[in-house]
Amino acid sequence: MNPSKAGASGVRPPRRTGPDIKAIPFNSSTDGVAVSLLSDAERHQLALIASIAHLKPASVLYEAGDPAEFLYIIIHGAVKTVRRLAGRKRAITAFLFPNDLVGLAAEGRYINTAVALAPLTVYRMPVAGLERVLLRNPELEYHFLCKVCHELREAQRHAISLGRKSAAERIAMLLHMLEHRQPPDMRDGEIALAMSRSDIADYAALSLESVSRTFRALQRGRIIAVRDKRHVRILDRARFEQLASTP
Amino acid sequence: MNPSKAGASGVRPPRRTGPDIKAIPFNSSTDGVAVSLLSDAERHQLALIASIAHLKPASVLYEAGDPAEFLYIIIHGAVKTVRRLAGRKRAITAFLFPNDLVGLAAEGRYINTAVALAPLTVYRMPVAGLERVLLRNPELEYHFLCKVCHELREAQRHAISLGRKSAAERIAMLLHMLEHRQPPDMRDGEIALAMSRSDIADYAALSLESVSRTFRALQRGRIIAVRDKRHVRILDRARFEQLASTP
DNA sequence: CGTACAGTTGATGATCATCAATCCCTGTGG
DNA sequence: CCACAGGGATTGATGATCATCAACTGTACG
């Protein structure tokens, strides 16, 4: 029970945002939009043990090494999961968005630190209760399984990106992911960046300076336009997609 | 029951190799040894739909893009999962060992190609039947969930390795993983490499040449001894662990 | 109006990829 | 038995990419 600064206010289910996917085992759509949305019945089950918490940007959901007492589902906002490396280096293993699962543990402890990137609303579920609920609701558990599979694929994509792609390609892939995962408050086709350049560097395994230079290079190539440090627009869709293409 | 080419020789459970872990939600041990081993009852449930297949080294379990009809659990042997990248480059997303799950799909299709590295024995489960079984056996499903969580953490570790570690550290981390995951037929503390240098290169996101040079450098530093291309021994445990340390 | 922090830009160097030549091992056929 | 072919692996030389160090700019905030 890590109260932190965010008050866990009552139990109120989030609004329904889309249809379920059930038929295809361990499946998920590529962009994660329609993944792991819960049925009303499933939400009701979770509501029995979950509370809703609101957190301010930069607040910490949990710290690496803490006993893993809660699992979170993002309702609104964005989260980064950070790991400290040797010599004050940091790695961001994932950016997470609405409907994503946060707080997977190993040996009862969190393996990284989760930090809110924006005003955040989450379901907060004690793991002990969650295990009981899952074991009584195989379909709900199946949704969790699908969700974790999706995060696994995302992590593999990330690994390929870091290992085999150039700086420009990594940045393009990140922008591509953000474009597809962030809720459409990007009017006019603009991509809103919830994170700092430094966070981008830690995610893409680049130096801060390289991120900066890469953004500039993409601008000079007329591939993107950077209106403001937090707002990017795609100018040359074809070349952008080619850079961001996963294969 | 899908006989297929590999003789589905009746339903015969693999020998028990360790105790289950149940109490800790979404948990797994670090080295994966005691992860996702099934109880007799659970194995019995899986046996209703699974067949056992034997495959020769270098044979293909499935190809990327194929409809995902089966999920596999490795009983004996090792598997690599390969993805083709642009320009005849390849990436190996994972090496998988006994008790690992192979064949997670996206949108009903496999996203990479799975190839046997050694004589291989697998459980082979049609996904349609598997979904039914899982929905009726929440505890079994929970084991699958834990297993996928473990693979997720492994993928994240891999991503950090590729993004932030030197060639020597990547190789050391791979050797470290092999040492902990491969069954103890490495007598005398030797690590048996089931894969070629080329596979190591594709896993570590290095060139073939860099892998070679890195092995040599580790030898010259008296950190490892390479008896044969497939057998390595740790000479300086302290420095080895330091290189391989995850942080 | 300065202090602080995030970001940009430039110069230099380390790491690793690439190209190319050679070696080693295994199997094959004379 | 030997020679040879072919793939895997090694070694060396050169170059590209990106990290690092350092200086500087902008912007928010006291």
Side-chain angles (χ1 to χ4, degrees), chain A residues 22-23 25-28 30 84-85 104-107 111 131 135 138 141-142 151-153 159 162 164 201-202 205 247, chain B residues 22-23 26-28 30 84-85 104-107 111 131 135 138 141-142 151-153 159 162 164 201-202 205 247:
Chain A
K22 307 198 154 169
F26 295 63
N27 182 28
S28 88
T30 302
R84 293 206 124 53
L85 303 182
L104 301 182
E107 292 167 340
I111 51 185
E131 183 178 358
L135 290 177
E141 192 179 18
Y142 196 75
E151 292 194 12
L152 171 58
R153 278 189 295 277
L162 300 191
R164 295 298 194 181
D202 291 337
Chain B
K22 308 197 154 171
F26 295 64
N27 183 28
S28 86
T30 303
R84 295 206 124 53
L85 304 182
L104 300 182
E107 292 168 342
I111 52 185
E131 183 179 358
L135 289 176
E141 193 178 17
Y142 196 75
E151 292 195 11
L152 171 59
R153 277 189 295 278
L162 300 192
R164 296 297 193 181
D202 291 338

Side-chain angles (χ1 to χ4, degrees), chain B residues 50-73:
Chain B
S51 56
I52 286 185
H54 297 275
L55 292 97
K56 289 202 278 264
S59 56
V60 173
L61 276 95
Y62 55 81
E63 197 92 29
D66 286 355
E69 293 170 349
F70 298 97
L71 190 66
Y72 302 85
I73 294 179

Side-chain angles (χ1 to χ4, degrees), chain B:
Chain B
M1 302 309 181
N2 221 313
S4 95
K5 67 210 153 207
S9 58
V11 174
R12 148 178 55 106
R15 65 191 154 76
R16 188 74 184 258
T17 51
D20 287 356
I21 290 184
K22 308 197 154 171
I24 309 168
F26 295 64
N27 183 28
S28 86
S29 69
T30 303
D31 54 5
V33 166
V35 174
S36 198
L37 298 174
L38 307 175
S39 72
D40 291 337
E42 289 164 356
R43 242 195 307 280
H44 186 257
Q45 285 296 327
L46 280 182
L48 296 176
I49 57 163
S51 56
I52 286 185
H54 297 275
L55 292 97
K56 289 202 278 264
S59 56
V60 173
L61 276 95
Y62 55 81
E63 197 92 29
D66 286 355
E69 293 170 349
F70 298 97
L71 190 66
Y72 302 85
I73 294 179
I74 301 177
I75 297 172
H76 205 83
V79 167
K80 61 178 174 181
T81 56
V82 185
R83 203 177 294 197
R84 295 206 124 53
L85 304 182
R88 91 159 53 86
K89 290 189 191 303
R90 303 181 316 146
I92 291 182
T93 54
F95 294 120
L96 299 163
F97 297 99
N99 289 306
D100 281 345
L101 236 43
V102 190
L104 300 182
E107 292 168 342
R109 297 189 170 273
Y110 295 116
I111 52 185
N112 45 37
T113 301
V115 182
L117 285 172
L120 183 69
T121 310
V122 292
Y123 269 99
R124 176 177 150 141
M125 305 165 290
V127 288
L130 178 62
E131 183 179 358
R132 280 200 326 273
V133 169
L134 289 184
L135 289 176
R136 284 186 197 153
N137 297 271
E139 293 208 4
L140 177 58
E141 193 178 17
Y142 196 75
H143 280 290
F144 274 67
L145 185 53
C146 290
K147 194 62 201 170
V148 177
C149 284
H150 180 257
E151 292 195 11
L152 171 59
R153 277 189 295 278
E154 203 59 39
Q156 288 180 344
R157 183 202 316 281
H158 190 205
I160 289 174
S161 159
L162 300 192
R164 296 297 193 181
K165 302 291 189 171
S166 70
E169 289 170 318
R170 289 183 224 176
I171 297 299
M173 285 178 73
L174 172 60
L175 292 177
H176 186 85
M177 187 202 80
L178 292 180
E179 185 178 35
H180 284 272
R181 302 237 31 199
Q182 275 196 341
D185 48 356
M186 42 133 177
R187 67 177 179 285
D188 212 14
E190 255 188 358
I191 303 172
L193 309 183
M195 66 291 296
S196 68
R197 292 291 192 268
S198 175
D199 284 338
I200 293 175
D202 291 338
Y203 178 82
L206 293 169
S207 68
L208 190 55
E209 297 92 329
S210 285
V211 172
S212 206
R213 279 185 257 268
T214 302
F215 269 97
R216 182 143 283 291
L218 290 174
Q219 284 178 82
R220 272 198 302 261
R222 307 289 175 197
I223 297 176
I224 66 173
V226 178
R227 196 177 33 126
D228 147 314
K229 296 170 213 319
R230 302 279 178 144
H231 294 274
V232 170
R233 175 193 308 273
I234 308 301
L235 294 182
D236 188 332
R237 172 63 58 176
R239 280 200 289 161
F240 176 74
E241 294 289 343
Q242 188 177 356
L243 281 177
S245 66
T246 322

Side-chain angles (χ1 to χ4, degrees), chain A residues 7-62:
Chain A
S9 61
V11 175
R12 155 175 48 108
R15 66 193 154 73
R16 186 75 183 257
T17 50
D20 289 356
I21 289 183
K22 307 198 154 169
I24 309 167
F26 295 63
N27 182 28
S28 88
S29 69
T30 302
D31 53 7
V33 166
V35 176
S36 195
L37 299 174
L38 308 175
S39 74
D40 291 337
E42 288 164 356
R43 240 194 308 279
H44 185 257
Q45 286 296 327
L46 281 183
L48 296 177
I49 58 163
S51 57
I52 287 187
H54 297 277
L55 292 96
K56 288 204 276 263
S59 55
V60 173
L61 277 95
Y62 55 81

